[in-house]
C-alpha cells in the first residue's frame, strides 16, 4: 500500500508528466484556453491512460514477454492507445457533442500524445506489476489534468490583463508554463 501511495504522489505531482517531464505539451498548450475544455480533455486523458496502462501491462506480461516479442511493445502499445482514443472519440461525439466540438482536433491527438505512450513504456521500464502500472497511469493522468486545468484557469485570468505587446499570445503562455514548472519543482523533495 505504501508503494502505491508513493507512485500516486510521485507520478501526479512530483514528476508531473507535463511540468517535469515535458511530455504532452501539444494538448497542454492547445486546449488550455478554457477550464471546461481543459477539464474535459483531462477526463479523456485519465480514461485513456488508465485503461491503456492496464491493457498494455496485461499484454506485455502475458503475451509479449513470454513469447519473446517484447521488442514489438512500442507498436502494440500504439495500437492499443489508438483503439482507446477512437472509443473515447465515438463516446464523446454521441454523448457530449459540445465537448467533442470544443476539443476539436486535440481529441484525436491523444493518440499521438507522447505522455500516453510514455506511461506505458515507463510501466515496462520500471517493472511495475499490473496494479502498480494502473496506479502509475491513473496518477500520471491526474497530474496531466491538474496541470492543464491550472493553466486554463491562469489563461482565463490573463486574458483580461494588460500584457506588454511582446508577451501577448504564445509568449505569455510559455512564460506561465515555465513558472508553473518552477513551482512544481518545489515538490521534488517530497519523495
Amino acid at each position: 500500500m505504501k508503494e502505491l501511495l508513493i507512485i500516486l504522489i510521485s507520478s501526479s505531482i512530483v514528476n508531473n508528466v507535463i511540468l517535469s517531464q515535458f511530455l504532452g505539451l501539444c494538448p497542454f498548450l492547445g486546449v488550455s484556453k478554457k477550464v471546461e475544455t481543459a477539464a474535459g480533455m483531462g477526463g479523456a486523458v485519465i480514461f485513456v491512460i488508465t485503461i491503456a496502462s492496464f491493457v498494455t501491462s496485461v499484454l506485455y506480461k502475458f503475451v509479449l514477454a513470454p513469447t519473446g516479442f517484447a521488442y514489438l511493445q512500442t507498436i502494440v502499445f500504439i495500437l492499443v492507445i489508438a483503439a482507446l482514443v477512437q472509443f473515447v472519440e465515438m463516446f464523446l461525439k454521441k454523448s457530449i457533442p459540445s465537448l467533442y466540438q470544443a476539443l476539436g482536433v486535440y481529441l484525436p491527438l491523444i493518440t499521438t500524445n507522447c505522455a500516453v505512450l510514455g506511461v506505458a513504456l515507463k510501466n515496462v521500464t520500471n517493472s511495475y506489476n499490473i496494479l502498480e502500472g494502473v496506479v502509475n497511469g491513473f496518477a500520471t493522468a491526474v497530474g496531466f489534468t491538474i496541470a492543464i486545468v491550472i493553466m486554463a484557469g491562469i489563461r482565463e485570468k490573463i486574458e483580461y490583463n494588460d500584457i506588454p505587446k511582446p508577451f501577448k499570445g504564445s509568449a505569455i503562455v510559455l512564460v506561465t508554463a515555465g513558472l508553473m514548472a518552477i513551482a512544481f519543482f518545489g515538490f521534488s523533495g517530497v519523495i
Side-chain angles (χ1 to χ4, degrees):
M1 186 66 179
K2 179 181 169 186
E3 290 177 21
L4 294 178
L5 185 61
I6 289 172
I7 291 172
L8 187 70
I9 293 170
S10 173
S11 295
S12 62
I13 297 173
V14 177
N15 297 317
N16 187 285
V17 71
I18 292 176
L19 301 173
S20 294
Q21 300 173 8
F22 305 111
L23 297 175
L25 289 176
C26 180
F28 174 69
L29 297 174
V31 182
S32 63
K33 293 178 184 170
K34 296 188 183 237
V35 173
E36 297 83 22
T37 309
M41 175 62 94
V45 168
I46 287 173
F47 177 79
V48 169
I49 289 181
T50 305
I51 301 300
S53 294
F54 173 74
V55 173
T56 55
S57 293
V58 169
L59 282 173
Y60 185 81
K61 182 171 180 138
F62 296 113
V63 177
L64 297 176
T67 59
F69 290 119
Y71 62 91
L72 293 175
Q73 69 187 8
T74 304
I75 295 169
V76 172
F77 292 175
I78 289 172
L79 291 173
V80 167
I81 291 164
L84 287 170
V85 170
Q86 287 300 313
F87 174 73
V88 169
E89 189 172 5
M90 290 185 305
F91 173 78
L92 288 178
K93 189 174 185 179
K94 187 80 170 168
S95 302
I96 314 171
S98 59
L99 179 60
Y100 176 77
Q101 291 295 328
L103 292 175
V105 71
Y106 295 102
L107 185 60
L109 283 178
I110 295 175
T111 303
T112 59
N113 186 343
C114 53
V116 183
L117 181 60
V119 170
L121 294 174
K122 183 179 177 184
N123 290 341
V124 171
T125 303
N126 291 344
S127 300
Y128 287 153
N129 63 35
I130 295 171
L131 179 60
E132 290 171 338
V134 170
V135 169
N136 180 49
F138 175 76
T140 301
V142 167
F144 177 91
T145 304
I146 289 169
I148 198 170
V149 169
I150 290 172
M151 175 59 98
I154 293 171
R155 284 181 79 174
E156 283 183 358
K157 297 293 182 188
I158 319 179
E159 186 176 328
Y160 302 107
N161 291 346
D162 187 25
I163 299 170
K165 191 173 182 179
F167 286 104
K168 287 191 187 267
S170 300
I172 194 67
V173 174
L174 293 173
V175 168
T176 304
L179 291 173
M180 286 176 59
I182 291 169
F184 270 72
F185 182 71
F187 292 114
S188 62
V190 173
I191 293 181

